[in-house]
Amino acid sequence: MKKSLLLITIFLTLGLILHALPSVGQDGEEEAEYPTYPIIFTKPLKAVLFDHKIHVEEAGLSCEDCHEEVFPMEAGATQENEDFNMESLYNGNYCGTCHDGETAFASNTRCATCHIGVMGWKRLTQKTEEAEEKGEH
Amino acid sequence: MFKGFAEWLKNLKNEGVEHISVEERRAFLKLGLVITGVYAGGTLLSVVSRVREVYADIPEYVGHYPYKPHYSMVLRTDRCIDCERCMEACRKTNHVPPYGWRTRILEQHFPKGPGEWERRFMPILCNHCNEPPCVRACPTKATFKDPKTGIVRMNIKKCIGCKTCMAACPYDMRYFNEEKRAIDKCDFCWESRLSEGEFPTACAKACPAGVRIFGDLSDPESQVYQLVHDPQRAIWVLRPSMGARPNVFYTIN
């Protein structure tokens, strides 16, 4: 009797835990081939947002187009470079590789498209913190 | 008298429009004639100049600068990326407490199309108005317009902390400073920098994107003068309907 109760309890808790996990690949959905979390640069100033989704889905870029020649495949690695600034973009480096006014809009236009500012950064980091908190409970 | 007039007209060489200066073009357009009525079978044209009508033009008080130097700031708002370095520099320079503010940045979303919008940041600070509502509201003359520079300043010895000026300010650019027991606000860094001979303001110096252009509006050589008086440039002020006649101007590009 006790054994069966224990078994049932274990079974139920396992079920609950598994249920809480996001379903992976059950309905034939492939996982995205690119990071779905936002890439946020905070150096040399707060903050620039890079969205993989827009660049892959809408601009039709493949991973090899940027990695590893333009950007290393490690979030936050690029901003450690001394020359990661607008001047360098205007000279065709980093984002400026495409954002030159021909392939994509020029780096010296539409500032607030990528620059989300301190306010945007706070919003995003608060969101992720909240999500993490939710995940813990 | 008009013999051969049509011939003469036809034989005139077309000079094209590319050599017409902006001022000339503007003067011509202002002649705009208005058709005010059509009467009984014939047309009656009433010729009325539209010069007196209100244009989305530079504020009408621009061009008259009672102060020397007439300090002013032009904000090229589309360059702002909300890095908030101006706010940090201001806090440090003028000892602004965490609960207060001398300058702020607002965020706007401009609709671009169905479901699309563009972000724009808008820095704001005291507009150092020519007709400051705060000065009019202050019961003790603690806030005053500097007769030499036109900067709206605070005399904290006279301030009784009644906060009437806070309510009067159309730009919400005054706060009560608990340490000073007085209202505190932007003074174009007069006390911290300008009076010490340092130029420009801390925020303008700190801005990496060239948003804040500070200078003397009465000096035709200054960048603020050239921006405000550029006929091809859209220049606007915040809440013009308040009649405060701000000396802080906004533009793009």
Side-chain angles (χ1 to χ4, degrees), chain B residues 8-202:
Chain B
W8 171 78
L9 205 59
K10 265 189 214 146
N11 291 332
L12 275 180
K13 208 165 126 270
N14 183 353
E15 294 176 7
V17 290
E18 54 274 11
H19 303 301
I20 298 175
S21 73
V22 180
E23 287 85 354
E24 238 179 308
R25 190 186 300 255
R26 183 165 289 200
F28 175 76
L29 289 173
K30 276 187 177 171
L31 292 174
L33 308 180
V34 193
I35 299 172
T36 53
V38 179
Y39 291 102
T43 54
L44 178 74
L45 290 187
S46 155
V47 182
V48 182
S49 168
R50 301 188 61 175
V51 171
R52 292 273 154 259
E53 287 185 22
V54 178
Y55 283 85
D57 213 335
I58 53 169
E60 83 291 342
Y61 57 90
V62 163
H64 169 66
Y65 306 121
Y67 305 98
K68 193 76 193 138
H70 191 109
Y71 285 122
S72 162
M73 194 179 279
V74 179
L75 296 154
R76 299 190 285 188
T77 177
D78 59 326
R79 292 165 168 250
C80 181
I81 51 172
D82 182 42
C83 66
E84 302 193 3
R85 285 187 181 184
C86 52
M87 286 157 75
E88 283 166 30
C90 178
R91 282 188 189 285
K92 228 171 107 178
T93 309
N94 302 306
H95 314 293
V96 180
Y99 57 82
W101 63 91
R102 279 185 175 207
T103 181
R104 272 176 161 170
I105 295 170
L106 305 179
E107 188 175 358
Q108 299 171 293
H109 288 179
F110 281 100
K112 246 174 56 174
E116 284 189 13
W117 49 266
E118 198 170 81
R119 187 184 293 111
R120 189 182 290 169
F121 295 112
M122 194 173 76
I124 44 173
L125 68 162
C126 168
N127 278 239
H128 296 282
C129 311
N130 283 345
E131 304 285 345
C134 52
V135 171
R136 213 176 316 148
C138 179
T140 62
K141 295 194 174 137
T143 189
F144 61 99
K145 197 149 170 73
D146 190 310
K148 192 171 177 301
T149 60
I151 295 176
V152 176
R153 287 168 53 198
M154 281 297 302
N155 179 347
I156 59 169
K157 288 198 188 90
K158 283 186 183 175
C159 178
I160 54 172
C162 70
K163 304 185 183 174
T164 317
C165 59
M166 277 172 66
C169 177
Y171 308 102
D172 191 23
M173 278 295 118
R174 298 173 151 262
Y175 73 96
F176 185 73
N177 186 306
E178 300 287 347
E179 288 72 30
K180 292 180 179 174
R181 301 301 300 161
I183 299 288
D184 187 50
K185 67 180 286 295
C186 159
D187 62 349
F188 273 160
C189 284
W190 176 259
E191 278 171 39
S192 52
R193 292 176 57 84
L194 294 186
S195 58
E196 315 272 317
E198 289 176 73
F199 193 88
T201 62

